[in-house]
Amino acid sequence: MGLLPRAARSRTAPLALAAALALPLVPAAETTSGPAQDEAMAHPDACTAKAVVISSETGVHAFEVELALSAQEQARGLMFRASLAPEAGMLFIYPNPRTASFWMKNTMIALDMLFVDDTGVVVNIAERTTPYSLEPQRSDAPVRAVLEINGGLSERLGIGPGAQVIHPAFRQAPKTRRCPALAGLPGNG
């Protein structure tokens, strides 16, 4: 079952399928694509602005996300929220890769922060962050985005550094895992 309403899935599934079928064939030596990445790209919610699909060693995991694009949205993040749905998250997208640093001021729930590079690969994860903490959580390298999900969920799902995140924000992803550009996203035109 997808995360988006049936009407939205019926519009996005053909786009995701068309995108997957239109991708050029790349010799195996040039890509780390495999069954999990193929399944991720074929997921009905893949390549939509409000969904993130993650391909890890344990399978494919989909999250319905709120986008934090403006400075104001990014400053507020998930502050003042008492809960977050199990398959939900917030995706902070930057116009260009940068070192990211987050704190938990006024954030009431523990989070996992997945720091994702411009190719859609998880660089590092700040797991089970402490609510209300002012201790910075930083990326180990420049990142294009940060995905916040419920604390402990990345470990429970087997998502770790090296996992592939599928979303239109990752324009430098290998062609076999790149979504079509979407207007309105930073770096997408």
Side-chain angles (χ1 to χ4, degrees):
M1 181 168 83
L3 297 172
L4 302 177
R6 180 180 294 266
R9 279 199 313 269
S10 66
R11 290 189 306 268
T12 59
L15 175 63
L17 180 58
L21 294 175
L23 296 172
L25 295 176
V26 178
E30 295 179 16
T31 181
T32 58
S33 182
Q37 275 105 16
D38 295 343
E39 184 182 342
M41 288 301 295
H43 192 281
D45 294 332
C47 298
T48 64
K50 298 269 184 162
V52 167
V53 177
I54 301 176
S55 174
S56 72
E57 291 181 10
T58 61
V60 175
H61 314 282
F63 298 90
E64 185 173 6
V65 295
E66 295 175 56
L67 299 178
L69 304 176
S70 71
Q72 182 179 5
E73 292 167 333
Q74 291 180 355
R76 183 171 177 91
L78 291 170
M79 286 188 206
F80 308 109
R81 298 199 192 179
S83 65
L84 183 64
E87 293 181 340
M90 181 169 278
L91 185 64
F92 298 74
I93 304 172
Y94 305 112
N96 297 298
R98 60 175 250 191
T99 301
S101 182
F102 282 62
W103 64 1
M104 295 291 289
K105 182 179 181 179
N106 298 319
T107 305
M108 303 165 65
I109 52 177
L111 298 171
D112 285 354
M113 298 176 186
L114 288 72
F115 297 94
V116 187
D117 73 12
D118 205 26
T119 66
V121 173
V122 175
V123 173
N124 65 294
I125 301 174
E127 294 186 71
R128 293 183 184 89
T129 56
T130 304
Y132 301 105
S133 173
L134 299 181
E135 182 179 335
Q137 305 296 323
R138 293 186 175 94
S139 61
D140 290 345
V143 295
R144 176 85 157 93
V146 178
L147 174 63
E148 291 183 339
I149 59 176
N150 280 297
L153 193 54
S154 58
E155 181 181 26
R156 198 163 49 249
L157 296 176
I159 299 169
Q164 181 70 48
V165 180
I166 308 295
H167 187 273
F170 305 111
R171 302 303 309 139
Q172 299 304 313
K175 289 183 181 183
T176 57
R177 296 185 298 272
R178 187 180 316 148
C179 296
L182 289 178
L185 291 181
N188 271 239

